Amino acid sequence: MEERVSYTPKERKKWTFRLSAIEGVFWFSFAAVNYLTVYLEHLGFSVSEASLIQSIGSGISIVSTPLGGTFADKLRSSRRALNIFLILAIITTALIPLTSNIKLLGIPVCILFVEIGIFFRAPTSTLMETTVINGCSNSGSFYGFVRIWGSLLYVVMNLILGAVIVEKNSYLTFYIFSLTMIPVIFFANSVTEITDVGSANKKPMKFREMPFGKLFSNPYFIAYMVFCILNYIPQNTIGAFLPYLLKDIGSNMGYIGYLQAYRAIFEVPLLLLSGWLVKRMSYRTMVIMSALFWALQALFSYTVNSFGMMILVMTLSGIASGFTQAGSIRFILSLAPPELQATAQTLVSSTTAIAGIFGHIIGGLLLETMNIKDYYVVCGIVMMIIIGLYALSFIFIRKVLRKEFVDMSRTY
């Protein structure tokens, strides 16, 4: 194990600033992808058609997300993999509105670039977070403080978009994403010293050298993967179908930006308190708390009849997001061997895509037969059941499989 460099307070501030810039600019830019549903609505796609397009994108993410993680672990650098995927995502996303008037067999060519853009964009968030967490660990920076800037600038961008974006000009969000994401590459290259510790002089690993057995023989990791797939089926659609809930209560679908901004605000206090929370609850508990608050939002969405009430209900998913940001990524690191950090993160992220396929297809079909509020209630009930089963899995693994939980991150 390499000895870590001890940085002075001044040097630590420099690294904290640069890591915060990566988080802040990345999420500032990423806020623009929330408008895909609005854009598809503007192009004239129905709910079921838009759901099918996003389901295909979810299927693509299933492949690209773990590929991105494995690619990063082979390179021994999540930072280098992040830069490659970001460059390709920037190019393909900008091509979406540029090709909207070109059709092939009656289908807009821009849909092809929607799916290609998803392929390259899908792994970037987990590659970025893994890069930043490693940088924080090696420099002594407080991840909770660094991650706050992602939440704050995500809020800022959503407020801006909420004020200026409507269905007719929703195509602008793709240009905004591509332009504002470029600085992330430069900031990522400025933290090589703390993110690529011990890997700069090492050759990329061969596929057969990667210890996949250590990861997939851990029943706690498998249980978490299954939980994520089942739980994200309803949870994904809760977020994706918010524009339709806005439309149902007579609000502008473009107000989704305001809702996302409000939700993200609640991540800040929980991230600031993350050091205190870790001393009082496990990362696994934070994951469960996040799922619970998402379920509560779904259930309480039935009572929404105005934009003001919708803001109030969004408080629940805001708290949920705070628990997610504070605990989920580090929980995954506790389940994975050090050689497969990025692989484990992106594998879990790919469960979102798997769930997205089923969620958007099932959700799109159900919304043809029931109203949006009833659908949200069904989602909330299903999520409560899934959370209970996941909690019981801990007892099963410990009592029946006789496997105690081991925090892998403490063996690094």
Side-chain angles (χ1 to χ4, degrees), residues 1-5 75-77 80 138 192-203:
M1 180 180 291
E2 289 203 15
E3 186 177 347
R4 289 179 180 172
V5 178
L75 291 177
R76 301 181 189 268
S77 173
R80 277 183 269 175
N138 293 323
T192 305
E193 182 180 328
I194 57 172
T195 58
D196 291 20
V197 174
S199 65
N201 299 319
K202 292 181 180 179
K203 293 181 179 179

Side-chain angles (χ1 to χ4, degrees), residues 256-329:
I256 184 68
Y258 290 128
L259 293 178
Q260 297 292 354
Y262 177 77
R263 176 189 59 74
I265 288 172
F266 285 88
E267 296 177 4
V268 175
L270 282 166
L271 283 166
L272 282 174
L273 291 170
S274 61
W276 178 83
L277 287 171
V278 169
K279 296 176 182 177
R280 287 158 178 79
M281 67 175 68
S282 65
Y283 293 135
R284 185 171 60 189
T285 302
M286 292 184 193
V287 166
I288 292 175
M289 292 295 291
S290 174
L292 180 61
F293 277 102
W294 271 109
L296 289 174
Q297 175 184 306
L299 292 171
F300 281 105
S301 291
Y302 187 81
T303 65
V304 171
N305 56 22
S306 67
F307 186 72
M309 285 190 69
M310 196 162 180
I311 284 281
L312 187 61
V313 170
M314 284 291 289
T315 302
L316 296 168
S317 62
I319 296 171
S321 294
F323 276 113
T324 297
Q325 300 303 333
S328 66
I329 295 174

Side-chain angles (χ1 to χ4, degrees), residues 27-37 54 93 121 154 161 173-174 177 181:
W27 289 112
F28 180 79
S29 178
F30 215 78
V33 305
N34 291 324
Y35 283 80
L36 177 58
T37 300
Q54 296 192 66
T93 300
R121 190 175 67 242
Y154 185 80
L161 295 176
T173 59
F174 301 104
F177 171 88
M181 192 61 81

Side-chain angles (χ1 to χ4, degrees), residues 64-364:
S64 69
T65 304
L67 274 179
T70 303
F71 181 57
D73 286 327
K74 282 179 66 66
L75 291 177
R76 301 181 189 268
S77 173
S78 57
R79 179 194 60 80
R80 277 183 269 175
L82 170 66
N83 285 345
I84 292 169
F85 276 88
L86 277 182
I87 290 169
L88 295 170
I90 287 167
I91 294 169
T92 52
T93 300
L95 289 171
I96 293 171
L98 288 173
T99 57
S100 61
N101 293 323
I102 304 172
K103 292 189 176 182
L104 183 65
L105 301 176
I107 301 173
V109 173
C110 66
I111 300 304
L112 174 64
F113 286 107
V114 165
E115 308 300 3
I116 296 173
I118 289 172
F119 180 91
F120 293 120
R121 190 175 67 242
T124 59
S125 60
T126 43
L127 290 174
M128 185 276 296
E129 294 291 1
T130 302
T131 299
V132 169
I133 288 175
N134 285 333
C136 287
S137 176
N138 293 323
S139 66
S141 301
F142 175 41
Y143 173 71
F145 176 81
V146 168
R147 182 59 182 80
I148 281 170
W149 296 102
S151 298
L152 289 175
L153 289 180
Y154 185 80
V155 168
V156 171
M157 177 59 93
N158 273 299
L159 289 174
I160 293 171
L161 295 176
V164 301
I165 297 298
V166 293
E167 289 181 45
K168 290 183 179 180
N169 65 1
S170 56
Y171 68 91
L172 291 173
T173 59
F174 301 104
Y175 296 130
I176 291 170
F177 171 88
S178 294
L179 289 172
T180 56
M181 192 61 81
I182 293 172
V184 176
I185 298 169
F186 294 98
F187 283 120
N189 287 333
S190 74
V191 295
T192 305
E193 182 180 328
I194 57 172
T195 58
D196 291 20
V197 174
S199 65
N201 299 319
K202 292 181 180 179
K203 293 181 179 179
M205 281 194 293
K206 295 180 179 178
F207 187 78
R208 64 175 178 271
E209 295 174 336
M210 302 176 76
F212 293 108
K214 288 183 181 179
L215 183 63
F216 293 108
S217 63
N218 184 349
Y220 290 98
F221 179 74
I222 300 301
Y224 184 57
M225 287 275 289
V226 173
F227 165 71
C228 287
I229 293 172
L230 296 177
N231 187 61
Y232 286 156
I233 288 175
Q235 184 175 308
N236 276 356
T237 58
I238 290 172
F241 293 161
L242 275 177
Y244 298 123
L245 184 56
L246 279 168
K247 189 175 183 179
D248 183 72
I249 61 174
S251 290
N252 188 331
M253 292 177 79
Y255 286 174
I256 184 68
Y258 290 128
L259 293 178
Q260 297 292 354
Y262 177 77
R263 176 189 59 74
I265 288 172
F266 285 88
E267 296 177 4
V268 175
L270 282 166
L271 283 166
L272 282 174
L273 291 170
S274 61
W276 178 83
L277 287 171
V278 169
K279 296 176 182 177
R280 287 158 178 79
M281 67 175 68
S282 65
Y283 293 135
R284 185 171 60 189
T285 302
M286 292 184 193
V287 166
I288 292 175
M289 292 295 291
S290 174
L292 180 61
F293 277 102
W294 271 109
L296 289 174
Q297 175 184 306
L299 292 171
F300 281 105
S301 291
Y302 187 81
T303 65
V304 171
N305 56 22
S306 67
F307 186 72
M309 285 190 69
M310 196 162 180
I311 284 281
L312 187 61
V313 170
M314 284 291 289
T315 302
L316 296 168
S317 62
I319 296 171
S321 294
F323 276 113
T324 297
Q325 300 303 333
S328 66
I329 295 174
R330 286 179 283 186
F331 177 52
I332 298 166
L333 289 178
S334 74
L335 298 172
E339 303 91 343
L340 294 176
Q341 285 185 16
T343 298
Q345 293 285 359
T346 50
L347 275 171
V348 173
S349 292
S350 71
T351 64
T352 306
I354 295 171
I357 291 177
F358 294 104
H360 283 102
I361 291 175
I362 295 170

